[in-house]
Amino acid sequence: MRPRHTAALVIAAAVLAGCQTNPVTGRKQFIVVSEDQAIASSRSAYVQMLTPYQDKGKLDNDPVVTARIVGITERLIPHAIAYRPETKDWQWSVKVIDDPKTVNAWCMAGGKMAFYTGLITALKPSDDEIAQVMGHEIAHALAKHQAEKMSRALATTVGVSAVAILSDRRYAGVAAAGTAVAAKLALDLPNSREAETEADRIGIELAAKAGYDPRSAVTLWEKMGKASGGSGKSDFFSTHPSPDKRMEALAALVPQMDPYFRSDAPRPVFKLHPEPLKPAGK
């Protein structure tokens, strides 16, 4: 059998083996990178990405803003844990990056989060709107979207590598870099339409159960739309595509979420403990 045909069969087998049903959403996902692997990779990437900001004094440098973001996030996490009880063991963390030109936020596998001050500069968001941003990002982690993106990136890398290796042994070193490439690409790859819809649906519910008005999901995206036309870096849009009907879909969810928002049920808080970005002595 010719090398390229063999490679194609190997890749096809990997795709079939990687099909899983997500326990949160019920959607079929292609996952060959386990969530544990994604979490381990995220811990390392988190430190690498944030250390330059820390070295410049641009990490958690405004106590008022940091307290605001941390306080909102602490109200969301208990409801994330209710979705997936095993996430109580995640090393949840949120850092505020002082970068007024970047409109972005993210949550990695394992609960490692970042919020850029550009979101405040560009949007002037209410607490309810910030809760929608963080709820949406936490939802990506709950639904294993980073592991899914890493798997997609790795499959592409391995596909290219397999053809190269089977065709010419001089390229054998390409495969060794596959996992590292996948980890980096996962941070930059846009989410699929299905993943965005899932994160919207889960995120608005997390926020409503934490006591934040679900209507703010619509006003948030209205502001996002206006901000995307400005001169600032709207990185949130590069990894979070905004379909034309997104706001309508969120508005349609409001009646379903409103009872959670208006409920008299207790609003638990998951207390985050400040942790150094770098291990002591390094």
Side-chain angles (χ1 to χ4, degrees):
M1 185 177 292
R2 285 181 295 177
R4 290 180 185 276
H5 290 169
T6 303
L9 290 174
V10 170
I11 297 163
V15 169
L16 290 174
C19 288
Q20 300 180 17
T21 301
N22 188 286
V24 175
T25 67
R27 177 171 61 88
K28 292 286 187 182
Q29 292 176 293
F30 170 64
I31 296 182
V32 294
V33 176
S34 72
E35 188 171 44
D36 286 344
Q37 290 173 316
I39 290 172
S41 175
S42 295
R43 287 196 200 104
S44 176
Y46 194 64
V47 173
Q48 291 176 13
M49 292 177 67
L50 298 189
T51 294
Y53 292 102
Q54 179 173 265
D55 291 345
K56 295 176 183 177
K58 293 184 176 294
L59 201 64
D60 291 342
N61 61 352
D62 185 327
V64 175
V65 174
T66 298
R68 183 185 183 195
I69 303 306
V70 169
I72 292 168
T73 305
E74 287 179 335
R75 288 174 57 178
L76 295 169
I77 293 174
H79 303 288
I81 293 172
Y83 254 95
R84 288 186 56 196
E86 69 272 24
T87 64
K88 72 180 185 301
D89 297 322
W90 282 5
Q91 295 176 10
W92 293 94
S93 175
V94 62
K95 298 289 185 182
V96 178
I97 298 173
D98 182 7
D99 184 352
K101 293 184 178 180
T102 298
V103 182
N104 202 13
W106 38 261
C107 179
M108 294 178 167
K112 298 294 189 184
M113 293 169 270
F115 181 98
Y116 293 75
T117 58
L119 273 162
I120 294 175
T121 303
L123 307 183
K124 305 295 188 294
S126 65
D127 285 1
D128 295 275
E129 289 167 342
I130 290 175
Q132 298 298 333
V133 172
M134 299 310 292
H136 178 95
E137 294 310 312
I138 290 171
H140 279 307
L142 289 179
K144 302 184 180 181
H145 290 160
Q146 187 173 17
E148 186 175 21
K149 288 197 292 180
M150 285 181 68
S151 298
R152 199 164 77 234
L154 184 59
T156 301
T157 304
V158 170
V160 172
S161 301
V163 172
I165 292 166
L166 289 170
S167 301
D168 190 334
R169 287 293 180 181
R170 290 175 299 172
Y171 295 99
V174 175
T179 303
V181 172
K184 177 64 178 71
L185 286 177
L187 301 177
D188 301 326
L189 282 172
N191 291 289
S192 67
R193 180 71 62 87
E194 292 85 0
E196 282 302 301
T197 299
E198 290 169 358
D200 280 347
R201 169 62 180 76
I202 297 169
I204 194 174
E205 182 174 335
L206 294 178
K209 287 180 175 179
Y212 295 104
D213 193 338
R215 294 163 189 79
S216 61
V218 179
T219 59
L220 169 71
W221 282 99
E222 287 174 346
K223 290 181 178 181
M224 282 285 188
K226 293 177 182 177
S228 67
S231 58
K233 290 163 57 184
S234 292
D235 291 345
F236 199 86
F237 272 106
S238 69
T239 53
H240 297 74
S242 183
D244 293 340
K245 295 185 177 181
R246 182 174 208 153
M247 285 187 290
E248 291 147 4
L250 286 165
L253 287 171
V254 170
Q256 184 180 347
M257 301 300 154
D258 208 42
Y260 295 135
F261 168 57
R262 300 186 184 283
S263 171
D264 292 328
R267 310 288 188 187
V269 171
F270 182 98
K271 198 66 179 173
L272 291 171
H273 300 286
E275 58 177 340
L277 192 60
K278 295 180 180 178
K282 294 189 178 180

